[in-house]
Every structure is written in structure tokens, then in C-alpha cells.
Amino acid sequence: MVVVTTIRRDVMTLPSAELGPSNPLPPLRPLDEAHRIDDRDREGLPRDMARQIGYEPLRDVLPERLRDGYDRHRTLRATDTIVIENDRLRVTVLPSRGGRVASLFHKPSQRELLYRNPVFQPACFALNGAWFSGGIEWNIGATGHTTLSCAPVHAARVAAPDGGEMLRLWEWERLRDLPFQVDLWLPDGSDFLHVGVRVRNPHEKPAPVYWWSNIAVPERRRVLVPADEAWHFGYERRLRRVPVPEHEGVDRTRPPRADFPADYFYEVPDGQRRWIAALDDAGEGLVQTSTDVLRGRKLFVWGSGAGGRRWQEWLTEPGTGGYCEIQAGLARTQLEHVRLDAEGEVTWLESYGPLAGDDAGARTVHGADWAAARAEVEGRLERALPRADVEAAYAAWLPHADTEPGEVLHVGSGWGALEVLRATYKLAGTPFDESTLGAAQAPWVELLRTGAFPEQRRVGPPGESLVARHWRDMLETAPAKPLAEYHLGVAQWHAGDVAQAVRSWERALELAPSLWPLLRCLAVADQQAGNPERAADRYAEAFDDLCQERRDEGAAWTAATAALGREALAALLAVRRTADARRVWERLRPATRERGRFRLIEAELLLAEGDREGARAVFDAGFEVADLREGAEAIGALWARLTDEALPDRYDFRMRPPAIEWRVDPA
């Protein structure tokens, strides 16, 4: 009896940390991106790679907000899922978390093909903060993990090419203002999940596009790919070409043998079938393949060093087994962005499934002969899923990309609906209905319809800013009221017009009932201009104003106090105004002061006050900085100021060799 493919809602319950509120302060500072190339390595790169590395890199994450309100206290929580299933595979999707595929379970072999994280623990790896490990993640936007990592997306049933159903996920990516869709199609009787992807540019000018499908697999695998060279990129920010599989006497296709976290971007020759596989000692595991548009393939390893092992524990639980990532992208490396022409689109098909083996094949896969190992895997892939079948599946799917969705299974954000309302875009297959507009979009709808940005009816943190050129133009012609000037300043700042942004914020100060959001923006401008003393003054004044204005102990005011207090403390300590910093500290809420991030700040404050023993006692008592940034070294830098002792393992998050000096940067 043939089992028909089904799509159903379900619930997954596992130990989960609370995401908490987003940071209410607009992220004005330059992106602290760990994946920047050292200038020394730009010369000698292939011409297309050099051009795409320099093509419109992201300056900040506006209009998104930072997500840093989570903690590390996990309790059992239920999360909505959507399950796609046939008689061979069961696919579990998380529509409230970027549409991530949490599980790809192969029924005949009773094997989980992915690394399935047993917990939900956010950590600061996404461009805007909160991210979690495991499964298959759809990374769109700019170099790094997508801002949608922990955000909802739209989901619905859609007619599939074979007459059954497929699951469509879609959203509006706000960093680049581009709509995209991901169609998950599981043909009856198939061992392979097909994934059709489309990214569209509805605008009248070209746009930079970034896409990497990020697949977490168990670490004890050999990663095979049709390449003899790779571009190695570590947290020293050096990009260099290295041989595959062996480099510096170590087989780098075996993740446990790595020393420090690193990326390997493989040079897959033109005309070669695109695929990457991660196979265990028996020669079995997961393979991913695609049509040729998705040209790049990558391996990320955590390494065997103390920092890499600590990060693995941090993102999951001790004793659950490590993982690595195999990935597929539009460019050679994740340092690049590709051009998408005005009113154009890019589409491709990916396929995910199991590779089985036998004893002889396993010996070949894990043998020393790299060419033979690759040929063995490619032969198996061709027998399991011929290249021609992938091309045929893509051709069959493409006409269905415009099919209008049926039953809605999950609702994403209202930002796409706002853009469609503004420009009357016709986006077949991905409806952004006005019914999805919410409170966050309401003032922007009023600006669109009346030409005036509404002032807040109640005192509180200002809402989200929009920074695209069309919204900036509307704000420039709107009546110059305080909130409109505040948002205009944020948009001008994002555009690089610092002087105009400062003027807008200063104009708003004259009439604004709430001063602290404007003072904070001006303080950031002072810091960027190299005036830390005036920045400290403005931060102190802003925090005073916030403390006088806050009305309750609700989530919004608590988040605002914590966010502004954290920045004010850093600014005051930077100019050695410890007494003023202590006054800010004392007005933070007790629960805020107990958070790990603020325990670290407390240790720094105590050291600045000359209380070395008190600062050391904070470390000895123990703390966990939940939102520690990928690649950040602030904990180790402060420890090195306190003592010559070795950094305790619990605080060791180093992602590069210890011979490189600690740098003091945002954590």
C-alpha cells in the first residue's frame, strides 16, 4: 500500500530558554562581524570573488532590533511544528523559528540524518543576536546567521508538482528588503526531500543577495565534497587557499581532528555536480545536492580546543555529542554577496537524503585515497538520486512556485504586508496579506496614508524604525514632530548621513516629551566621532531621564533600562568615571544586576574602583553571559587584567589560537 505524503501540525516539547523581549534601542553601531577578511588577503583573489566580497557589505542590522533578552534557564516548553511525512522520511519544521528543519528522520533505517539539538538554547550568533544550533537553517540577508533565526515565518499548504502537497515558507527579509520562499516537497516513496527556493527583487534597482543553507550533522563524520582545494577562513580573519583533504599534516575533512573553529569553503569545479556529504564509520549518513545555481559548499568545524568544546556545550548540553556544519550557498564563500538585478529573481532546487553503504564502500570512503573516496560517494549519490532527476524535479517545481497557497498553517510578520501596501507589489505565490499588519506596523501605515507620523499616546520606548530610502523620503516630508524626527535621524544615520541624523535628533530634543531615546542616539554619534567624554555626559543624562520616566516594571521598561544601563556603564567606565558608573549600577533593577552580562560588568566596575578582590570574587562565584557574542573575548580580556592564572575552562570561549593576544571588543 502506498502511503500518501501528509502535512500536519504538531507540537515539540523540549527544555527551552525564554527568548525574552527584543532590545528597544536601535542598533546604530557598526556591525561587529567576525567574518571580515583581513586586508592583506584581498590581493590575488579570483576576480569575481574579490568583487563580491566588496559588494555592499552590511554596515548595521537596521531596521531589525537586537534580540538579547534571553537567558540560560531552561524549562520544558512546547513549540508548534509542521510535519511533512511519507513512508520513507519524516521532516519536522519550526515555523516560529525561521522555518528551520529540526529533524530529518529516515524511517527504513531508523536514523536521524541531522544533528538534532535536544534543547532550545539561544546564543549570540545571528546578525541580530539570538540563534540556536541544529537542523537545517535558511540563511538569507548578509554574511552571518539570518536575523530570522528565532522569528516566525509564514507557512501554508501548496499544490506539489506530483499532485500532492508541499509546504511553503515565506517572509520579507528586512536587511535587504527582499521577499523569499522555501518550498519543501516530499514525493511519495522518495528518500529525498526536495527544497525549491526563490529570492525575488521587486525593486527598480539591483540588490545584494546572500544565501547559505546551513546543515548541522553529528561531528564524528567524514565530510566529502567534489573538490581538491578550499578557502580556509578562521577567527584570525585570514582567507587563504589550502589543499583538500590534508593541510599541515591533518586530514581536515574529519572534523574531530581540527584544532580551532574554522570555515572551509570548497572550490567545486565548474561543470561538476554540486553535492556535499557527511558519512559515519559505516559509510552512511546525509548527502545534500542541488542544481548548479547553488554553487558553494562549506564545512564549519568547532575544533578540539577548549574554546570550541566550550561553545558546543554552551549551545546544547554536555554529553550530547558534538556537531559540525555542512553548507551550500550562492557564492564561493560567505564573505561574498551576489548581485540580483532589478525586478529579477534567483531560483534553485536542493535535495536532502540518506546515503547507505557496505563494508567495502566504507573502507573506500574513509581511506587515504581522496579521489577514490569522492568517486565512491558520487557514484552512490548518482544511483540513489541521479543528477538528471534533480534537474527534472527543479523543472517540475518551477511552474508551481507561483501557485497561491492554500490552508495557512502559520503567520509570520507584518513587514511584508506593509511593503506590499506601500508599493502594490504583485508577488504571485507569496501573499503578504493586510490582515498580518500589527501594532509594530501601525504608525508606518498611518505615515503612508496621511503623510504624518503619529506621536505616541502613552509614554514609552519608541517603536521600530524603518530605514529604506522610500521611508526616509516620507519622513523627510512629514511634519517635524519629535517622534518623526527621531525615526528620520535613525534612517539618515543608516544611510551614512551622520550630520543630518544629529541635526534631526537635536531638533527633536527641543519638543520631545521623552528625551532619553534621543540623548542615547546622540551619545552613540559622539562615540563614533571620537568624543567619549561628551558621549558619557549624554549617556548619564539619558539614564537619569529614563529612570524618571519609566512607569512600571513591565517587560518594555525593564528591557529599556537594562539596554541603556549597559551602554551607559560602558561609556562611563571608558572615561574612568567610576562614581557615575556606580550610580547607574545602583539604579538597575535587582533582577537585571543578577544577569550574567551584568555580573561581568560588575567585575569590571569593581576593578575600575580598585577593588581587585571584589572583581575576582565575581569570577569565583561564577556567572554565565547568556548573550556572549561569537568571537568575543571580553571575559578573557578582563580575567587577564585580574590575574596571570590560566583562564578557567568555564570562561574559555576562544575561537582562535591563544598565541594571538586578547582583544578588548564587545562581548
Side-chain angles (χ1 to χ4, degrees), residues 597-619:
R597 163 65 58 186
F598 288 86
R599 293 285 286 159
L600 177 62
I601 294 173
E602 181 185 20
E604 185 177 4
L605 175 57
L606 288 165
L607 182 60
E609 292 173 329
D611 187 355
R612 183 176 296 271
E613 291 183 2
R616 175 60 186 263
V618 172
F619 275 88

Side-chain angles (χ1 to χ4, degrees), residues 281-521:
D281 290 343
E284 300 179 345
L286 174 77
V287 64
Q288 186 270 4
T289 187
S290 72
T291 49
D292 289 352
V293 166
L294 203 65
R295 66 172 296 183
R297 292 298 184 274
K298 170 196 164 181
L299 166 65
F300 169 76
V301 296
W302 282 106
S304 58
R309 306 330 294 172
R310 184 71 179 105
W311 273 116
Q312 294 251 31
E313 294 175 354
W314 189 255
L315 295 169
T316 177
E317 285 187 333
T320 56
Y323 76 96
C324 62
E325 295 170 357
I326 57 175
Q327 303 190 24
L330 285 174
R332 275 191 183 94
T333 74
Q334 290 175 330
L335 307 173
E336 303 167 66
H337 300 88
V338 301
R339 175 188 167 108
L340 183 57
D341 289 336
E343 300 180 345
E345 65 179 39
V346 58
T347 60
W348 65 90
L349 187 93
E350 305 179 45
S351 299
Y352 297 80
L355 275 190
D358 51 33
D359 291 342
R363 287 194 295 272
T364 302
V365 165
H366 289 277
D369 188 330
W370 175 241
R374 285 171 35 189
E376 168 70 20
V377 175
E378 186 153 4
R380 279 199 232 165
L381 172 59
E382 187 64 20
R383 291 189 292 275
L385 183 66
R387 186 177 188 178
D389 287 3
V390 175
E391 296 292 344
Y394 171 68
W397 164 76
L398 196 55
H400 290 260
D402 283 345
T403 302
E404 291 304 313
E407 179 191 2
V408 174
L409 301 174
H410 198 266
V411 177
S413 78
W415 296 112
L418 179 66
E419 293 300 327
V420 169
L421 181 66
R422 178 192 65 81
T424 63
Y425 292 127
K426 303 299 182 184
L427 299 170
T430 54
F432 293 95
D433 194 83
E434 282 193 43
S435 64
T436 63
L437 292 168
Q441 294 83 39
W444 298 96
V445 172
E446 186 167 337
L447 172 65
L448 184 63
R449 289 175 170 162
T450 69
F453 197 91
E455 291 295 303
Q456 291 174 302
R457 292 185 176 88
R458 297 176 58 189
V459 173
E464 296 187 54
S465 298
L466 294 181
V467 296
R469 177 61 185 266
H470 43 265
W471 293 109
R472 189 169 82 245
D473 289 345
M474 279 185 263
L475 288 168
E476 286 175 345
T477 58
K481 294 185 177 180
L483 200 53
E485 291 288 291
Y486 163 81
H487 288 297
L488 175 58
V490 174
Q492 291 166 331
W493 178 272
H494 174 74
D497 195 345
V498 174
Q500 285 289 0
V502 168
R503 278 193 283 273
S504 295
W505 293 326
E506 288 176 340
R507 281 196 304 270
L509 273 178
E510 298 173 6
L511 297 174
S514 182
L515 302 181
W516 63 267
L518 297 158
L519 289 167
R520 181 264 177 178
C521 289

